[in-house]
Amino acid sequence: LIEKFLKEANKSTYANKSAPKVKSSLQESFDYEYIKGNLKYHDTYFGERDFIGVEVIYKDTEVVWGSNYYGYILDKKIDKDFVYDFLRESLMKESSDILPIRGPKKYIHDKLTYSFKVKGDISRFEGKEEIFLNSKCIYGCILNGGEVD
């Protein structure tokens, strides 16, 4: 249930470039929400080039799942929009080959490659997302999370 909802929420919020942000929940935060039935997904993050954030899923009013993450661009000369437009494109791809926390295990477009590796399952996991230009890593994101009880 959580996996299917999370997959829908991810493709309906940040990954979807046309998804509207909601009112900031904290000073200087960027926020997205997705609601379906009694489940609500909320993502709050800070920063534009390098960022840190947390996403949670509520069942009714109780938090049942969450993840925190820190993402960064390794080369200051690379335009952030170039990186994050490709990240969004990658996150919209089918991820049935891996936990639906981010994107697929691998996605390649022209000279860019998206990679996501994760250990664990939806109840407890840690992962790393990377983007390579040719074979040089230009972006990384570390994340972990799981069920909240």
Side-chain angles (χ1 to χ4, degrees), residues 12-31:
S12 300
T13 55
Y14 174 81
N16 184 338
K17 202 167 183 173
S18 63
K21 291 182 176 109
V22 295
K23 184 179 177 192
S24 292
S25 60
L26 297 167
Q27 186 176 332
E28 296 186 36
S29 70
F30 300 99
D31 294 61

Side-chain angles (χ1 to χ4, degrees), residues 5 8 18 21 23 29 32 34 38 49 61 70 88 93 99 104 111 123 133 148:
F5 176 74
E8 289 175 19
S18 63
K21 291 182 176 109
K23 184 179 177 192
S29 70
Y32 289 96
Y34 176 76
N38 67 338
R49 185 173 183 87
T61 58
Y70 176 67
R88 283 184 164 103
K93 298 299 175 190
L99 287 174
K111 297 177 183 180
S123 67
L133 176 58
V148 178

Side-chain angles (χ1 to χ4, degrees), residues 14-126:
Y14 174 81
N16 184 338
K17 202 167 183 173
S18 63
K21 291 182 176 109
V22 295
K23 184 179 177 192
S24 292
S25 60
L26 297 167
Q27 186 176 332
E28 296 186 36
S29 70
F30 300 99
D31 294 61
Y32 289 96
E33 270 188 3
Y34 176 76
I35 300 170
K36 186 172 184 182
N38 67 338
L39 296 175
K40 177 168 90 169
Y41 167 89
H42 190 100
D43 180 15
T44 300
Y45 71 94
F46 302 86
E48 293 187 37
R49 185 173 183 87
D50 296 344
F51 57 86
I52 191 163
V54 62
E55 54 188 350
V56 294
I57 294 176
Y58 296 87
K59 185 176 181 183
D60 298 315
T61 58
E62 181 182 340
V63 175
V64 294
W65 184 91
S67 172
N68 59 53
Y69 53 87
Y70 176 67
Y72 46 89
I73 297 175
L74 292 162
D75 186 338
K76 296 293 181 190
K77 293 179 233 149
I78 293 181
D79 179 65
K80 71 177 175 59
D81 292 334
F82 172 74
V83 174
Y84 295 137
D85 285 349
F86 180 68
L87 175 61
R88 283 184 164 103
E89 179 182 324
S90 302
L91 297 178
M92 291 298 285
K93 298 299 175 190
E94 183 54 46
S95 62
S96 58
D97 61 347
I98 198 165
L99 287 174
I101 299 161
R102 295 293 282 173
K105 282 183 184 176
K106 192 174 206 179
Y107 170 65
I108 301 170
H109 185 132
D110 291 332
K111 297 177 183 180
L112 292 166
T113 300
Y114 169 89
S115 167
F116 182 55
K117 296 176 182 152
V118 65
K119 294 179 195 168
D121 59 29
I122 199 77
S123 67
R124 187 174 296 129
F125 67 89
E126 54 186 58

